[in-house]
Amino acid sequence: KQEVTQIPAALSVPEGENLVLNCSFTDSAIYNLQWFRQDPGKGLTSLLLIQSSQREQTSGRLNASLDKSSGRSTLYIAASQPGDSATYLCAVVAGGTSYGKLTFGQGTILTVHP
Amino acid sequence: EPEVTQTPSHQVTQMGQEVILRCVPISNHLYFYWYRQILGQKVEFLVSFYNNEISEKSEIFDDQFSVERPDGSNFTLKIRSTKLEDSAMYFCASVPNTEAFFGQGTRLTVV
């Protein structure tokens, strides 16, 4: 059974800092990996999707990497801003008969203070 | 930009009542999913739906739950005889081929 773990559980940084969020998964037979942002009481906003054949994906100040063989992904946020404060969720995407099914980590709660 | 729409945004129901949560996925997407998130816990998979039938369901998705796509556009989750522990955020997601798009969720409170 796939298990996804995110470290750290919470992170508080001053504005402008670069930071790294970590995600690990137990079964490397994944189809894709997706990072989401969740604001309190809100839905899930997709940030980045990394296909299993890719090593990294970039969008603006965000960069996500994937090392499938070691079961790890990182989300790098450059020049953090107070508006980045949210919970960041990592989810691995299954293939095969479970196509598209996401297994989530518990999230990293990020606080960026001015 | 197309989006997944869920209604209602918040529903309060009495224990034992039936609720129907509604979702309008992005048109031309083929795969549909329901997830739930109990307060303070991980987002959990409930059920996947493809080609008008359930393709996979989790251990949580017992006889109390059912899904339908009644009219080719809406996608519903029915919870019969709600229990206090059904209180959670319920998310609908649709997938065109690789990336999952989520709705804003329905917060279900069972009292």
Side-chain angles (χ1 to χ4, degrees), chain B residues 5-110:
Chain B
T5 305
Q6 289 187 244
T7 55
S9 57
H10 189 191
Q11 174 138 15
V12 181
T13 189
Q14 290 204 326
M15 192 167 53
Q17 296 296 303
E18 175 182 284
V19 295
I20 298 176
L21 311 183
R22 291 182 168 80
C23 170
V24 180
I26 298 171
S27 62
N28 78 6
H29 285 193
L30 300 178
Y31 299 86
F32 311 111
Y33 305 81
W34 283 100
Y35 293 84
R36 79 173 184 188
Q37 185 178 34
I38 295 171
L39 187 64
Q41 297 187 21
K42 289 185 179 184
V43 177
E44 306 174 281
F45 167 78
L46 290 177
V47 65
S48 57
F49 194 83
Y50 170 70
N51 205 24
N52 290 323
E53 61 183 30
I54 291 173
S55 49
E56 185 176 354
K57 54 186 180 180
S58 72
E59 297 169 350
I60 304 167
F61 195 90
D62 58 21
D63 292 342
Q64 184 195 6
F65 295 88
S66 62
V67 290
E68 280 188 340
R69 198 161 183 233
D71 56 11
S73 59
N74 292 289
F75 180 46
T76 63
L77 175 68
K78 182 188 292 185
I79 309 175
R80 287 181 281 273
S81 189
T82 50
K83 302 176 247 188
L84 294 176
E85 53 265 38
D86 295 327
S87 295
M89 280 286 280
Y90 288 81
F91 294 107
C92 169
S94 68
V95 178
N97 45 23
T98 54
E99 186 173 4
F101 294 87
F102 280 76
Q104 288 301 299
T106 292
R107 179 173 299 283
L108 176 65
T109 303
V110 183

Side-chain angles (χ1 to χ4, degrees), chain A residues 8-22:
Chain A
L11 185 61
S12 181
V13 299
E15 181 177 5
E17 224 173 78
N18 301 325
L19 53 99
V20 175
L21 308 182
N22 296 290

Side-chain angles (χ1 to χ4, degrees), chain A residues 4 34 38 46 98-99 102, chain B residues 33 35 37 56 97 99:
Chain A
V4 180
Q34 199 165 351
Q38 184 177 31
S46 179
S98 295
Y99 178 79
L102 274 66
Chain B
Y33 305 81
Y35 293 84
Q37 185 178 34
E56 185 176 354
N97 45 23
E99 186 173 4

